[in-house]
């Protein structure tokens, strides 16, 4: 269930426009598919429920400023989940994970880029952004967790193609990702192998990096 709206500011207002979309959701899944042993195989896990809300908004102001944001809040849990595969070579033994959080699903995500494209830049845009991912569990027992992280980025990009002759235009961007060179967990194996009593789950996120992109197109 959601709503979407765009509001225009007055001619003398600092805020030129505001647009947003918001939604609330509830899904019930039978036979939730769950990866096991680091993705070696999958099985179905009874029933799961996801409830949450999403909000996205864009604010444009005088001077070419634009702030966008997207936020998701979610609770994902197994409502019915009894499994025997955690007890190898122990026939008849089971684990009840009903009420636990679904693996690999962060409770919150937030993305918020701020950009500036004044007329003097002639179609170029300066942008800085922040992306936050909340923590999540990586095993059905909810004993192994990935901590949340926040990374920043900054760069310059083009809003239009520039004529380089011969009827060809070029556009692109240059961005620095993970601007502060933060160390974080980029991904994790779900229901990972246990080696020497330690879950082999985590993969590091990328360090600071420079991304360059150019694309060419034929101009009309």
């Amino acid at each position: 269930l959601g709503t979407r709206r765009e509001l225009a500011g007055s001619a003398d207002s600092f805020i030129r426009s505001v647009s947003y979309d918001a939604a609330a959701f509830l899904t019930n899944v039978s036979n939730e598919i769950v990866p096991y042993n680091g993705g070696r195989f999958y099985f179905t896990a009874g029933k799961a429920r996801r409830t949450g809300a999403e909000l996205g908004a864009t604010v444009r102001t005088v001077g070419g400023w634009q702030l966008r944001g997207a936020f998701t809040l979610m609770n994902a849990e197994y409502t019915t989940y009894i499994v025997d595969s955690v007890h190898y070579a122990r026939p008849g033994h089971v684990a009840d994970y009903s009420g636990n959080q679904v693996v690999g699903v962060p409770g919150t995500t937030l993305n918020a880029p701020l950009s500036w494209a004044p007329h003097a830049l002639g179609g170029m845009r300066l942008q800085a952004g922040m992306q936050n991912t909340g923590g999540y569990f990586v095993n059905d027992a909810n004993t192994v967790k990935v901590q949340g992280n926040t990374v920043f980025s900054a760069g310059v990009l083009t809003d239009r193609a520039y004529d380089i002759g011969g009827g060809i235009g070029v556009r692109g961007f240059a961005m620095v990702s993970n601007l502060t060179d933060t160390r974080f967990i980029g991904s994790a194996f779900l229901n990972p192998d246990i080696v020497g009593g330690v879950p082999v789950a985590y993969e590091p996120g990328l360090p600071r990096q420079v991304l360059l992109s150019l694309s060419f197109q034929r101009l009309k």
Side-chain angles (χ1 to χ4, degrees), residues 106 108-110 130-136 146-152 178 182-187 203-206:
T108 59
T109 57
L110 173 64
M130 179 270 287
Q131 182 171 332
N132 173 269
T133 302
Y136 57 89
V146 169
Q147 299 300 319
N149 64 80
T150 302
V151 294
F152 299 90
N178 193 2
T182 299
R183 298 181 65 181
F184 66 99
I185 297 172
S187 62
E203 294 185 313
L206 291 174

Side-chain angles (χ1 to χ4, degrees), residues 105-121:
V105 181
T108 59
T109 57
L110 173 64
N111 185 39
L114 173 66
S115 63
W116 181 46
H119 182 73
L121 290 182

Side-chain angles (χ1 to χ4, degrees), residues 13-85:
S13 173
F14 174 73
I15 297 178
R16 291 297 173 84
S17 68
V18 176
S19 61
Y20 69 87
D21 57 87
F25 58 88
L26 184 153
T27 63
N28 290 299
V29 179
S30 295
N31 299 320
E32 173 83 5
I33 298 176
V34 180
Y36 211 72
N37 275 50
R40 285 189 180 87
F41 61 90
Y42 296 76
F43 59 86
T44 52
K47 298 180 180 179
R49 174 178 296 160
R50 290 170 171 80
T51 56
E54 297 177 331
L55 174 64
T58 301
V59 179
R60 297 181 177 88
T61 72
V62 172
W65 290 95
Q66 177 177 277
L67 175 63
R68 293 184 292 120
F71 177 71
T72 300
L73 175 67
M74 184 188 305
N75 179 55
E77 67 175 24
Y78 300 114
T79 54
T80 304
Y81 183 8
I82 298 176
V83 62
D84 62 0
S85 58

